[in-house]
Amino acid sequence: EEPAATIVERLKDVCTCEGEDAVFECRLSRETAQDAQWFLGDVPLQSNEMNEIRVQGTRHSLILRKVTLEDCGSISFKVGQHSSVA
């Protein structure tokens, strides 16, 4: 049983202008096979043409492309029992 990863670098609030990309980053205590999930409000996000989700070792990033006013809201990152919100 692998120990659960914890969030060591939490999300930071991002302010951006309409039409620009918004980048959110989080760092975990260790690389993990656990499911990590990004949310906009209560909606789980997937990697697609509007959102890019990247994992590089312990660093997890979310890029919201060409944001609009509808993208305004809380972004959260959850892994296991841990979460961070911006």
Side-chain angles (χ1 to χ4, degrees):
E1 184 76 12
E2 66 176 34
T6 58
I7 298 172
V8 292
E9 202 174 291
R10 303 187 74 73
L11 293 176
K12 294 175 180 62
D13 290 341
V14 172
C15 289
T16 189
C17 296
E18 201 167 9
E20 294 180 353
D21 293 351
V23 180
F24 297 88
E25 283 194 336
C26 220
R27 200 159 56 82
L28 300 180
S29 56
R30 55 193 297 283
E31 289 186 42
T32 178
Q34 276 183 294
D35 284 342
Q37 180 69 63
W38 291 93
F39 294 86
L40 174 56
D42 297 327
V43 180
L45 297 174
Q46 309 292 328
S47 243
N48 57 33
E49 66 281 351
M50 299 305 296
N51 314 313
E52 185 180 336
I53 295 172
R54 287 190 199 151
V55 180
Q56 294 162 302
T58 59
R59 185 168 300 283
H60 291 251
S61 349
L62 168 67
I63 302 161
L64 298 180
R65 303 232 175 262
K66 298 183 176 58
V67 296
T68 64
L69 290 173
E70 286 78 51
D71 295 319
C72 191
S74 60
I75 293 286
S76 53
F77 175 81
K78 294 181 180 159
V79 61
Q81 299 297 306
H82 304 279
S83 67
S84 178
V85 179

